[in-house]
Amino acid sequence: MRRLEVFTGAGRRRKWSDEDKARIVAEIVASGDSVCSVARRHGLSPQQLFGWRRQLREATGGHSEADEVRFVPAVVDAVVPAPTAHRERKAARKADSGIIEIEVDGITIRAGRGADATMIASIVQALKASR
């Protein structure tokens, strides 16, 4: 059974507490429903709900769970192309631009100027462990 609100007389604005706004915005994530369906369920326009969500994000410093850093698996293509003179010239030009190339078993790691040595060592160790 659904709740039905009937407005009679002159229309007036409803007042929503900050707790109610936060609860309704959290319902979007918790239920997995679209903004439109949550808005319809509470008698709101989707634009109003988007505005509340933006206000909540700004109030919390602009960070949400979706903005946090997430790690994804890396895909390594181990195809070993035949060395050519063109490739060697290209590698020589890159060396002048401050880029370090490490090639191990057909896998090339390129590190730019200022790259963290610990991070590069970790990547090389991970590649060795996967072999």
Side-chain angles (χ1 to χ4, degrees):
M1 181 171 211
R2 288 192 164 189
R3 182 176 160 211
L4 178 67
E5 285 186 65
V6 178
F7 296 103
T8 59
R12 63 178 189 163
R13 297 183 122 187
R14 292 181 286 173
K15 297 284 185 184
W16 296 90
S17 68
D18 290 339
E19 292 81 22
D20 287 336
K21 290 178 183 180
R23 180 182 48 79
I24 293 171
V25 168
E27 189 177 323
I28 297 168
V29 177
S31 68
D33 292 339
S34 68
V35 173
C36 291
S37 64
V38 173
R40 199 175 316 120
R41 196 175 316 142
H42 293 283
L44 301 166
S45 72
Q47 293 82 358
Q48 191 172 19
L49 206 46
F50 280 118
W52 289 356
R53 190 167 62 175
R54 185 182 66 249
Q55 288 173 349
L56 204 61
R57 199 176 321 131
E58 289 170 357
T60 59
H63 299 292
S64 69
E65 288 182 25
D67 295 336
E68 291 182 18
V69 176
R70 296 178 189 214
F71 292 97
V72 296
V75 177
V76 178
D77 188 9
V79 175
V80 182
T84 63
H86 173 71
R87 183 176 174 157
E88 292 172 3
R89 284 193 308 266
K90 189 175 177 182
R93 281 197 309 256
K94 284 186 180 179
D96 295 340
S97 64
I99 295 177
I100 299 170
E101 287 190 5
I102 303 168
E103 189 168 330
V104 179
D105 295 333
I107 299 172
T108 304
I109 301 169
R110 291 182 188 87
R113 184 176 305 197
D116 184 25
T118 307
M119 179 62 77
I120 295 171
S122 300
I123 293 170
V124 171
Q125 287 176 351
L127 287 172
K128 285 182 179 180
S130 69
R131 297 226 162 233

